[in-house]
Amino acid sequence: GGTAVTAALLGAEVHVFAAIGTDEQGDFLCNRMKSVGIVQDGIQRLPEFPTSATVINVRPNGDRPALHALGASDHLNLTESLCAKIGKLVSPTALESDGLVPILHIGSIGLKKGCDHELSVLRLLEGLRNDYTLPPNILVTLDLIAPHDGMSAFLSKALAWVDY
């Protein structure tokens, strides 16, 4: 949520697609995002899981170890309808009038087991490029926060669709 809130505070129109728990932390996130005007119709509230949380401790030498509590974000279900909703948001027709550079940011790669494989993130990226004819000015960013063994195969495929 931090990237989304920051972008909204800077004046961007932000739509969030995420899975969060129905716990107090999930309520806090939803309320905070609402308070800065973030569209939340892509949020999946999952009562069976707590809201994921990350704390990044910045050490004096610049190291940034991440303490991550897995939760609902690991269970984001990128269904066909959710992918279609994202595709419509970033389609040339939806973006042609405002003149702004659209950004599709995929966050926390490496932390979310359920979102790191071909059937989810890669399917989304391929589907958006192939089915929705993304405008040439869209920037796609990928936040690789926790690289781990086996990431190279994922990255070699994902980077074909990622700008930063």
Side-chain angles (χ1 to χ4, degrees):
T3 301
V5 169
T6 301
L9 288 171
L10 290 171
E13 177 182 322
V14 177
H15 296 255
V16 170
F17 296 85
I20 62 175
T22 55
D23 53 5
E24 188 175 345
Q25 186 166 331
D27 293 341
F28 171 80
L29 284 172
C30 286
N31 290 332
R32 180 64 178 132
M33 289 188 287
K34 182 179 180 183
S35 76
V36 296
I38 293 173
V39 180
Q40 301 176 50
D41 60 353
I43 289 183
Q44 299 167 1
R45 298 292 305 258
L46 305 177
E48 63 273 25
F49 300 104
T51 301
S52 299
T54 302
V55 175
I56 299 176
N57 298 303
V58 181
R59 295 182 176 159
N61 68 355
D63 287 349
R64 301 171 34 133
L67 305 172
H68 188 70
L70 294 175
S73 62
D74 218 29
H75 302 277
L76 175 65
N77 185 7
L78 284 172
T79 62
E80 291 298 322
S81 64
L82 195 62
C83 291
K85 188 181 285 190
I86 296 169
K88 288 178 187 170
L89 280 172
V90 296
S91 70
T93 359
L95 299 170
E96 65 190 16
S97 62
D98 63 16
L100 300 175
V101 175
I103 298 172
L104 173 62
H105 176 71
I106 302 170
S108 302
I109 298 298
L111 292 176
K112 302 173 186 174
K113 295 176 189 169
C115 294
D116 287 352
H117 53 80
E118 291 180 29
L119 297 178
S120 55
V121 171
L122 293 176
R123 187 183 81 214
L124 171 67
L125 292 170
E126 288 174 349
L128 291 176
R129 292 286 183 196
N130 297 332
D131 301 338
Y132 292 94
T133 316
L134 292 181
N137 66 331
I138 191 167
L139 293 177
V140 178
T141 63
L142 191 91
D143 181 4
L144 179 60
I145 194 166
H148 54 76
D149 293 340
M151 289 297 291
S152 59
F154 165 78
L155 289 173
S156 67
K157 293 176 183 175
L159 291 178
W161 292 282
V162 172
D163 299 300
Y164 298 98

